[in-house]
Amino acid sequence: MESQKNLSFVMRSLRKVQSVGVYFRDRENLDSKLLLYECIAEFYGTMMIVLFGVGSVNTAVAVGAHTDLWHIAMIWGFGVGLAIYCTASVSGAHLNPAVSFAFALVKPSKFKRHKLGWFWAAQMAGGIAGGAINLLIFHPYIERFEKNLKPEGFSRDSSGGVHSAMVFGEYFPDPGWVRANIKDGEDWESLDGVISPFKACCIEAWGTAILMFVILALTDDKQKIVKNKEMIPFLIGFTVAVLIALYAPLTQAGWNPARDFGPRVAAAMAGWGTEAIPGPRNGFWVYIIGPMVGAPLGALAYTTTIEPGLKLVDERSRAK
């Protein structure tokens, strides 16, 4: 009788162990499937940002469809907002390697660090795909623009190539400003006095820090100002628009390594060569390092100053 009880206990224990194993195996399979769809969402969302935002630069520069910087900035803002609406419920709509990096460092409870590499790959792939689609759509206008720039001897893979390459990647200072202000005898190498690579990197870090700070402020469950959460994507997009309006004349306002490097890859393959990568003054790194440094700093600033205050406000309201 005692042996039967022992055997029954062992069998029950084995069934429990088996059920726990099945739970974790099913959970692992579910997490793997979800990660796949999160990456798909990040790919599509980043591609949409490039299609809308970088596409607006194409229509402004190559087509001449927009009359001023604010038009381009607003298209960027709406494009970012729409991309977030389409993907946030699946992946959280990072759509930016710097944002993912900041979440992994500062908010690991909201974004598991093992996902970081997968998100980066999806975002970069989305940036390349968006750049390639823009090239396919706008290439006749780009070629016409290039002929008007310099009818004789124009080469994309030369110092003048940035004036059309700017519809893909970003350059400092803005080539549009350079065309209007550069003096005889000056070239890109002589523009350090206007904006050096280090200064451009600092501007990119600063703008991305502001963007990340705003993202955390708007998405914090404890903040009481934005009652209608459905407006958050457009508010984030509007932040991007404001930053572009401020800083695009200096660095073309990247704030997103996938938005810059992805289209650069498409441009390099389409004939811009070294003008795309590494770019004048080897400056492509500015649009990777700057945002990657700035986003965690912006997140750290929010979590160490505003977030603790919100927690105290929440505790006081609960105590009343």
Side-chain angles (χ1 to χ4, degrees):
M1 189 71 176
E2 186 67 26
S3 62
Q4 288 180 343
K5 289 182 178 179
N6 291 336
L7 179 62
S8 176
F9 172 77
V10 169
M11 293 302 294
R12 287 197 305 272
S13 299
L14 287 174
R15 282 194 293 270
K16 288 180 180 179
V17 170
Q18 185 180 22
S19 65
V20 170
V22 169
Y23 168 80
F24 281 108
R25 186 170 64 250
D26 290 345
R27 179 64 181 269
E28 183 177 348
N29 291 336
L30 180 61
D31 288 344
S32 297
K33 290 179 181 178
L34 179 58
L35 178 59
L36 171 63
Y37 286 104
E38 286 175 333
C39 289
I40 292 172
E42 288 295 304
F43 170 86
Y44 280 136
T46 309
M47 184 177 69
M48 288 175 68
I49 286 177
V50 173
L51 290 177
F52 293 138
V54 182
S56 72
V57 180
N58 276 266
T59 55
V61 174
V63 182
H66 307 300
T67 58
D68 59 38
L69 177 60
W70 185 240
H71 288 168
I72 300 170
M74 286 304 296
I75 295 171
W76 263 106
F78 279 109
V80 169
L82 292 172
I84 294 172
Y85 275 120
C86 290
T87 59
S89 296
V90 176
S91 69
H94 295 184
L95 315 183
N96 183 336
V99 170
S100 296
F101 186 49
F103 271 113
L105 286 180
V106 182
K107 292 282 189 178
S109 61
K110 290 189 174 182
F111 181 66
K112 303 301 181 183
R113 290 172 180 168
H114 73 272
K115 295 181 179 182
L116 184 59
W118 295 103
F119 269 49
W120 280 355
Q123 291 156 355
M124 285 297 183
I128 294 171
I133 292 171
N134 282 338
L135 175 64
L136 182 65
I137 293 172
F138 293 106
H139 76 90
Y141 296 94
I142 296 170
E143 291 176 355
R144 186 177 179 86
F145 171 74
E146 289 172 334
K147 290 178 181 178
N148 292 332
L149 268 179
K150 193 173 183 180
E152 297 179 3
F154 177 84
S155 173
R156 288 178 173 178
D157 192 9
S158 68
S159 60
V162 293
H163 296 293
S164 54
M166 67 175 290
V167 303
F168 296 100
E170 293 154 313
Y171 299 90
F172 55 92
D174 181 350
W177 179 89
V178 171
R179 284 198 303 275
N181 294 278
I182 199 166
K183 299 176 183 178
D184 291 339
E186 287 185 326
D187 57 22
W188 280 92
E189 300 297 331
S190 66
L191 293 175
D192 269 346
V194 177
I195 179 167
S196 66
F198 177 73
K199 183 177 180 180
C201 186
C202 290
I203 292 170
E204 286 294 309
W206 169 246
T208 312
I210 294 172
L211 176 61
M212 192 68 211
F213 187 96
V214 172
I215 289 171
L216 290 179
L218 292 174
T219 57
D220 195 321
D221 293 333
K222 292 183 174 61
Q223 63 90 6
K224 307 297 183 183
I225 298 299
V226 184
K227 299 292 185 182
N228 189 357
K229 298 292 185 181
E230 290 80 5
M231 287 302 298
I232 288 176
F234 277 138
L235 292 174
I236 293 173
F238 187 69
T239 304
V240 172
V242 170
L243 289 170
I244 288 173
L246 283 173
Y247 299 118
L250 306 181
T251 65
Q252 284 192 264
W255 327 136
N256 184 337
R259 168 265 176 267
D260 178 75
F261 192 73
R264 274 184 194 268
V265 172
M269 296 173 65
W272 279 273
T274 56
E275 286 302 288
I277 302 172
R281 293 181 281 172
N282 299 313
F284 82 102
W285 61 270
V286 163
Y287 300 99
I288 298 174
I289 301 301
M292 287 296 194
V293 171
L297 291 177
L300 188 63
Y302 180 81
T303 56
T304 57
T305 57
I306 301 299
E307 189 175 68
L310 283 176
K311 290 179 180 178
L312 291 176
V313 170
D314 186 61
E315 290 175 5
R316 187 178 65 179
S317 63
R318 290 174 183 272
K320 290 181 179 180

